Amino acid sequence: TAGITQAPTSQILAAGRSMTLRCTQDMRHNAMYWYRQDLGLGLRLIHYSNTAGTTGKGEVPDGYSVSRANTDDFPLTLASAVPSQTSVYFCASSLDRGPYNEQFFGPGTRLTVL
Amino acid sequence: AQTVTQSQPEMSVQEAETVTLSCTYDTSESDYYLFWYKQPPSRQMILVIRQEAYKQQNATENRFSVNFQKAAKSFSLKISDSQLGDAAMYFCAYRSLDTGNQFYFGTGTSLTVIP
């Protein structure tokens, strides 16, 4: 099973350009999340979605937007990239109930903004 | 919001020895879930072990076990018979049942295994 896929694996982006990071899951999980990982700061939540059609802001949402048109896809868009958005981005998904409710993670996207 | 604290940025252990990684959290909730994730150099996040707060028995998965102290809000991970493949970044995570589906992560502990 594929689980969660992210694209691209890595990207170098010029400051001021826009970019969409793609995330797709095939586990029919209702909840999806975007995190950024920076050295010494752990994982910080950017945006989340508890179900298709709804989204919410996490700890560090500024400069990012998301959409959840269906259950499987949860793209993250940087409208005008800045160097401080250089990071590794992880997409994750989970069920919202039941004993097996851990988060499953994609392989990450390494983004460098110059 | 809930906070998760991992006070040991780096730890090291001799191969075949035992090491304990610390995690504390702050919450006013009575029911929640706790997790330990492992992130090797491949960058992939891997679930190591989970604990339901309403269960008093400590979770165990092969060489990995936890010491869950609910009153102290502590959730440490013990790795027994450490192996070279255990070298990784370890993250403690808290899942709130009150604030939707949100998870809260600590800043991680980097574990080195010495041959």
Side-chain angles (χ1 to χ4, degrees):
Chain A
T1 58
I4 299 179
T5 58
Q6 291 185 238
T9 300
S10 65
Q11 182 75 43
I12 298 174
L13 187 67
R17 300 296 295 268
S18 67
M19 176 168 187
T20 296
L21 307 185
R22 299 185 298 278
C23 174
T24 300
Q25 53 108 355
D26 64 1
M27 297 176 284
R28 309 303 295 173
H29 287 169
N30 55 299
M32 297 188 75
Y33 314 78
W34 274 106
Y35 293 92
R36 59 178 290 173
Q37 183 180 17
D38 303 288
L39 190 64
L41 298 177
L43 290 162
R44 292 184 293 168
L45 182 66
I46 304 171
H47 286 286
Y48 66 95
S49 169
N50 286 336
T51 189
T54 69
T55 62
K57 293 181 179 180
E59 179 184 358
V60 289
D62 294 343
Y64 306 94
S65 63
V66 293
S67 62
R68 186 90 183 277
N70 56 60
T71 298
D72 299 343
D73 301 300
F74 191 43
L76 175 73
T77 297
L78 288 69
S80 180
V82 295
S84 62
Q85 292 178 309
T86 294
S87 187
V88 177
Y89 291 86
F90 286 96
C91 180
S93 71
S94 72
L95 292 169
D96 66 348
R97 60 183 60 84
Y100 302 103
N101 59 3
E102 71 270 25
Q103 282 188 329
F104 293 81
F105 286 83
T109 294
R110 181 177 295 278
L111 178 66
T112 302
V113 182
L114 300 176
Chain B
Q2 283 73 12
T3 57
V4 178
T5 302
Q6 292 180 250
S7 59
Q8 307 154 315
E10 298 178 346
M11 292 281 285
S12 62
V13 62
Q14 206 76 32
E15 193 175 5
E17 297 296 310
T18 296
V19 65
T20 298
L21 308 184
S22 301
C23 173
T24 59
Y25 56 94
D26 183 26
T27 186
S28 58
E29 299 172 353
S30 60
D31 199 12
Y32 46 86
Y33 290 87
L34 297 164
F35 305 88
W36 277 98
Y37 283 88
K38 169 185 177 181
Q39 186 182 41
S42 66
R43 200 169 74 191
Q44 183 67 49
M45 293 284 283
I46 303 164
L47 177 69
V48 174
I49 200 165
R50 72 166 67 84
Q51 174 81 42
E52 293 91 335
Y54 61 86
K55 288 187 177 180
Q56 294 187 352
Q57 185 175 6
N58 289 325
T60 300
E61 289 287 343
N62 300 314
R63 297 182 295 106
F64 298 87
S65 61
V66 298
N67 183 4
F68 174 47
Q69 302 290 327
K70 190 172 183 180
K73 298 178 184 176
S74 172
F75 183 60
S76 60
L77 175 69
K78 185 172 81 171
I79 306 174
S80 304
D81 185 25
S82 296
Q83 301 175 1
L84 295 178
D86 295 333
M89 182 72 80
Y90 286 81
F91 291 97
C92 177
Y94 172 105
R95 178 169 195 177
S96 169
L97 296 180
D98 288 347
T99 58
N101 296 313
Q102 290 202 37
F103 289 70
Y104 301 87
F105 285 83
T107 52
T109 296
S110 178
L111 179 66
T112 300
V113 181
I114 304 166

